[in-house]
Amino acid sequence: MASSLPPAVIALQTELSRMPGVGKKSALRMAMHLLKSQRDDVARLARAVIDVKDKVKICSTCGFISDTDPCHICNDRKRPGKVVCVVEQPTDVIALEKGGVFPGKYHVLGGVLAPLEGVGPEDINISGLVARLEPEGIEEIIVATNPTPEGEQTAYYLSRILQPKGINVTRIARGIPVGADLENADDLTLTRALEGRVKLD
Amino acid sequence: MASSLPPAVIALQTELSRMPGVGKKSALRMAMHLLKSQRDDVARLARAVIDVKDKVKICSTCGFISDTDPCHICNDRKRPGKVVCVVEQPTDVIALEKGGVFPGKYHVLGGVLAPLEGVGPEDINISGLVARLEPEGIEEIIVATNPTPEGEQTAYYLSRILQPKGINVTRIARGIPVGADLENADDLTLTRALEGRVKLD
């Protein structure tokens, strides 16, 4: 008797709560929402879930997502390929592309090194990056992982294995975000901002 | 060029962000998660979404969710039906049932009155409650809407329309939650706790 949620609600709650950032409570709220939605809307969501798996391809070269493999960025012959920007996730590529700030090609690691969580070099797409170096004539790797301890560690690891291969490994600058207040920046950001100071002329 | 997310990802992001508490960013994070999941897991989620709509029924008597209509609580002849507890959502019934604290029957409004958001008495299941009064011989309505301004307003409205029909309308007590600190309680809760004081003996 006690709890008494219908099994189909519990099943949906379980499936939804597998997703990142979705707890049991918000999964139940979503399930209740779907229960009260029009059948068409529910069917459209179910279709979209299947479609994303069936129609979207992960680029076998760079790891980005696209309708084609290789993706449209790797396929773009007008983009210079000597400088490759390494990011953690496909969404990072989107952020950089939205700004149109980087004209080269990308490599998506699909994560960062996190030894404490058991994520080692073989768990993220580093071998794929190494395999691209020679055939693509890559000269510089810009490591644009997030400025977290794991992101820094991954950058350091990449530098250690790629520099001996004659690759110029650089890291995106850390500093005060444009438009932000100095007084709200944390110590590490301030330290990095000072270290990374540039000469004015 | 610019943004460049595959259409299927944007479609899923749009569908997911229709759900309560899911913004564009978390919808994208979920979409990326599904993209990387096994096809079986994705199919199971899609199935669960459809099942919840197809298999779960909303009780035409009380508005609770169940595999049957009327629901198993309304169907339970051993439960006394003279006292009906009115709640906002099916999840509130679950909370009360889990504790086994209320032996009677329920009525789910499916919301609260919120004139500023255009939610009037005809938008929540008040007519269904009024229709139950006579056939079920209801004597008391316990209004267990949340202690928010809208919940209070709804309780007041129900009292105003039900008392003239000879129904005893009561409100769940507001006060300091068991186990909580007095110093952490807000002023309104403290006020209600003092107003609702009971004689010790």
Side-chain angles (χ1 to χ4, degrees):
Chain A
M1 194 73 175
S3 168
S4 62
L5 267 175
V9 174
I10 292 173
L12 179 56
Q13 182 188 27
T14 307
E15 294 304 326
L16 287 171
S17 59
R18 285 189 216 283
M19 295 213 267
V22 180
K24 283 271 168 200
K25 271 209 169 173
S26 46
L28 182 57
R29 215 178 317 129
M30 288 183 211
M32 297 306 299
H33 170 83
L34 289 172
L35 196 52
K36 284 185 270 179
S37 301
Q38 296 297 314
R39 201 181 184 292
D40 280 1
D41 294 337
V42 172
R44 216 167 45 237
L45 171 62
R47 189 69 257 161
V49 165
I50 293 288
D51 276 357
V52 89
K53 191 68 193 162
D54 286 352
K55 294 191 182 163
V56 180
K57 302 199 168 41
I58 296 176
C59 177
S60 54
T61 303
C62 76
F64 186 52
I65 50 169
S66 181
D67 288 330
T68 56
D69 178 18
C71 73
H72 64 278
I73 297 177
C74 285
N75 265 341
D76 186 348
R77 290 179 191 284
K78 276 175 284 173
R79 275 184 182 248
K82 304 250 172 270
V83 182
V84 168
C85 181
V86 173
V87 296
E88 296 182 17
Q89 300 295 350
T91 43
D92 299 324
V93 175
I94 292 155
L96 287 159
E97 282 294 289
K98 209 156 61 185
V101 290
F102 178 67
K105 298 199 170 171
Y106 296 93
H107 190 82
V108 181
L109 294 174
V112 272
L113 298 178
L116 294 177
E117 291 161 38
V119 182
E122 65 292 336
D123 298 313
I124 61 177
N125 193 14
I126 291 178
S127 59
L129 177 61
V130 172
R132 292 176 64 182
L133 299 177
E134 254 193 50
E136 297 187 30
I138 294 170
E139 293 170 0
E140 178 179 351
I141 295 286
I142 304 176
V143 186
T145 51
N146 290 320
T148 55
E150 290 80 11
E152 300 295 355
Q153 195 169 12
T154 307
Y156 176 71
Y157 179 85
L158 286 175
S159 151
R160 236 183 43 205
I161 64 161
L162 298 178
Q163 305 254 26
K165 294 181 195 294
I167 305 293
N168 187 16
V169 182
T170 58
R171 181 88 174 99
I172 47 161
R174 273 80 34 108
I176 311 295
V178 179
D181 284 338
L182 209 77
E183 61 175 10
N184 293 327
D186 64 286
D187 292 347
L188 194 58
T189 300
L190 285 174
T191 307
R192 298 290 193 224
L194 288 170
E195 282 172 1
R197 66 193 180 278
V198 292
K199 197 172 179 335
L200 296 175
D201 48 11
Chain B
M1 195 73 175
S3 168
S4 62
L5 268 175
V9 174
I10 292 174
L12 178 56
Q13 182 188 26
T14 306
E15 294 305 325
L16 287 171
S17 60
R18 286 189 217 283
M19 295 211 270
V22 180
K24 282 274 166 195
K25 272 209 169 174
S26 47
L28 182 57
R29 214 177 318 127
M30 290 183 208
M32 298 305 300
H33 170 82
L34 290 172
L35 196 51
K36 284 185 272 181
S37 302
Q38 296 297 313
R39 201 180 183 293
D40 280 1
D41 294 338
V42 172
R44 217 168 44 237
L45 171 62
R47 188 70 258 160
V49 165
I50 294 287
D51 276 358
V52 89
K53 191 68 195 168
D54 286 352
K55 293 190 181 162
V56 180
K57 300 197 171 46
I58 295 177
C59 176
S60 55
T61 305
C62 76
F64 186 51
I65 51 170
S66 181
D67 288 330
T68 56
D69 178 19
C71 73
H72 64 277
I73 297 177
C74 285
N75 265 342
D76 186 349
R77 291 181 190 283
K78 274 175 288 175
R79 275 182 182 250
K82 303 249 173 272
V83 182
V84 169
C85 181
V86 173
V87 295
E88 295 181 18
Q89 301 294 349
T91 43
D92 299 324
V93 174
I94 292 156
L96 287 158
E97 283 294 288
K98 209 157 62 185
V101 290
F102 178 68
K105 298 202 170 172
Y106 297 92
H107 190 81
V108 181
L109 294 175
V112 273
L113 297 179
L116 294 178
E117 291 161 39
V119 183
E122 64 291 337
D123 298 312
I124 62 178
N125 193 14
I126 291 178
S127 59
L129 177 61
V130 173
R132 291 176 65 181
L133 299 177
E134 254 193 52
E136 297 186 31
I138 294 170
E139 292 170 1
E140 179 179 351
I141 295 286
I142 303 176
V143 186
T145 51
N146 290 321
T148 56
E150 291 79 12
E152 300 295 355
Q153 195 171 12
T154 307
Y156 177 72
Y157 179 86
L158 286 175
S159 150
R160 235 182 44 205
I161 63 161
L162 299 178
Q163 305 255 25
K165 295 181 195 292
I167 305 291
N168 187 15
V169 182
T170 58
R171 181 86 174 100
I172 48 163
R174 272 82 30 113
I176 312 295
V178 179
D181 284 339
L182 209 77
E183 60 174 8
N184 294 327
D186 63 286
D187 292 348
L188 194 59
T189 300
L190 286 175
T191 306
R192 299 288 193 227
L194 288 169
E195 282 172 3
R197 66 194 181 276
V198 292
K199 199 175 179 331
L200 296 176
D201 48 11

